[in-house]
Each structure stands twice: as structure tokens, then as C-alpha cells.
Amino acid sequence: MQKIYFDNAATTRVREEVIGKMQDALASCYGNPSSTHGFGRSAKTEIEQARKTIAKYLNAHPSEIIFTSGGTEADNMILRSAVRDLGVHTIITSKIEHHAVLHTADALVKEFGIQVQYVDLDSFGNIDLVHLEQLLEADDSKKLVSLMHVNNEIGNILDIHEIAKLCKSKGALLHSDTVQSIGHFQWDLQATPIDFIVAAAHKFHGPKGVGFAFIRKNTNLEPLIIGGSQERGYRAGTEAFHNIVGLREAFVAAYDNLEEEKEYISGLKEYFINKIKVAIPEVKFNGYSGHLDRSTYTIVSVCLPFNEEKSQMLLFHLDLKGIACSEGSACQSGADGGSHVLAEILSEEDLQKPSVRFSFSKYNTKEEVDYVIEVLKEFSQS
């Protein structure tokens, strides 16, 4: 039986060179980065080099890069601190954001009495810019807009530069969960007037448990985790040095090979789309995931024309065949509520059918696509 991993939006295989760098770091650079002796200074130097490298690729200042345990912590830190420290009273978001944003916003309503407003979406999951502008102009409260750049379930790409310009013109702060786009898309944070973005290394072939937040200079946030003065005072606690080394290595590899790998993965996605249309003509694509120019090149989300009995067996059958994919966001696995993203954009009829997300990486092949399509075709005819 083949083993095929098409769940790269959930997490990715770690690059061999990243593993090697992390092993070296664990073995030879074990000083506490806050210590003043040579062992500590060596570790601190590596961390600061990682910070400078990331900032250079994003066209940001090193002081604006804060290492975290991943995207969820970074989202929490930014939203909570914006309400607590910057006087934000209104968060404008959408109902198809990651739960790291939606659940944090709900908690802030209870804790601080803020209001959360949701921008309208069309049937493809796209933001209604006219409605967003209306929400920004509705009152004089301090506002934070939180909209993800690439949706983790349907792959839609937000015109983040246009949104950033709109927010800036209305005096609102802008945060974007960019976990699915850092390492996959180019960024110029001087050209795009965005205030906060976040990243997780395991989404671009780095280790789990490490990421970073970009916090634009002079926003005056206070720390969420209090203790020492690590991370410019934004995040106390001894840094996960080996993870930061792995993050840097994965980040550099992602951007140095971006265009070549993007072209290859885009070819896989296009091949998958064409093959599944032939094998299962009634297939539908959720959001814009079937469009190569309006969704990320790494994700395809399909709604399959199977009855209830087949729907209940589909993922189990795929797993038995050695195929890893996702019925929704992996962060929701085991939940009974289904995908909150698909619930917002699909018709009642299509919600009764199984939707599956396939997500690709540089390690996948067309031969793997052929195998998956054949398994789906046989299952549909059984």
C-alpha cells in the first residue's frame, strides 16, 4: 500500500537540512541565550541572526520580529494586547477565520466588553469590501481588522494590500493570520501598510512549536507572557533556541526556492483539478480552490457527490488506502460541529455531501495524484 501525504495545510514534512541544523544546535550550542558567558552569547547571536534574516526577506526591521510558539500564540498575543493596551473597542473579522482569531475575539467580548463585527462574504468566501468600508465608518471606536491572507480550508487569497490601504485610510489597525502564506508568498512589509502578521514554521517544512509575530514599530503593545525581558520584552521565557534555528533554515529555504517550488506545486494542483473533473464530473470546488489564480497553489477543497452512507466512510476509506487528507481544518479534528468555514459558504444541499481538503508540497508527485484520483473514482463507483 502506498503512503501519500496530501495534508500539507495541516503540517509539512521537515526538510532534511532543517533537521541537520537543529541537531547541530542541540549538540553544540546549549547555552542559555540570556547568559553573559560565551556559551550564552553564541546562542544569542544565532537567535539575533535568525531575526535579522527573517526581517530582511520580509523587508521589515529586526525589532519587529518576535519569536513565539506558533501562529495561535501570536494571534492571541496581538488581539489581546491590542484590546488591552491600544484601546481597541471593535474587532472586525469574518466568520471563516481560524479559531485562533474567532475564539480569542469571543473571549475578549466577555472579558473586556468589546464588540465583534463580521464582514459579509459572498458564496465563494470572498470579503465584501463595500461592507468592510461601511463597518470601518460606522462609528468612532478604535478598530482592529483581522482577516487572514490565505484561508486554511478553501485556499482563497485576500487582496491584503488593498485591505491594508483601506484600513490605514480609516485609521484602523490591521492584523492578518498569515500562517498559510508565510513561506509560500512574497511579502514586502514596507510596501504593505499592515500592522501585524503571524507565522508558524511547521507550515513551510520547519519544526512544530515555533513561529513569529511581526509587530510594526511604535505600536506599544505590552507582553502577554510576563517574566524575563526576552524577545524585546514582548515574550518572557527562555527561547527555544534549536526551534528558532530550524525556523530560520526552513524560512530561508522556502524563500530561496520559492518560485521553483511554487511552479512545481502549482502544476500538481492543476493536474489534480483536471484529473478529478474527468474521474468525477459532478465534483464541485469549495471557494476559489478550483481557480489557480484566485486561491493558493497548495490547497484544493472539493465537495464530492456521495450519498450519506459513502460520506461517512470516505475519510476512513482513504486512510485505509494510505492517503492522508483532511475533512476540514486539522485544528478541528474530532469535533462534531463540522467546518465552520464550509457552513458559511455552502448550500444546505452541499453541506450534506463530504468535502475534503487536499493540500500539496514539494514532496508530492503526479504519480501520487494519479493514485488518489483512482481511489476516489473506484470509491464513487462502488
Side-chain angles (χ1 to χ4, degrees), residues 29 33 38-52 241 248:
C29 198
F39 293 91
R41 292 197 307 273
S42 294
K44 185 68 171 179
T45 297
E46 289 289 335
I47 290 174
E48 293 311 312
Q49 186 58 51
R51 198 186 315 277
K52 290 176 183 178
F241 169 71
R248 176 189 179 275

Side-chain angles (χ1 to χ4, degrees), residues 31-44:
N32 188 316
S34 296
S35 299
T36 58
H37 49 61
F39 293 91
R41 292 197 307 273
S42 294
K44 185 68 171 179

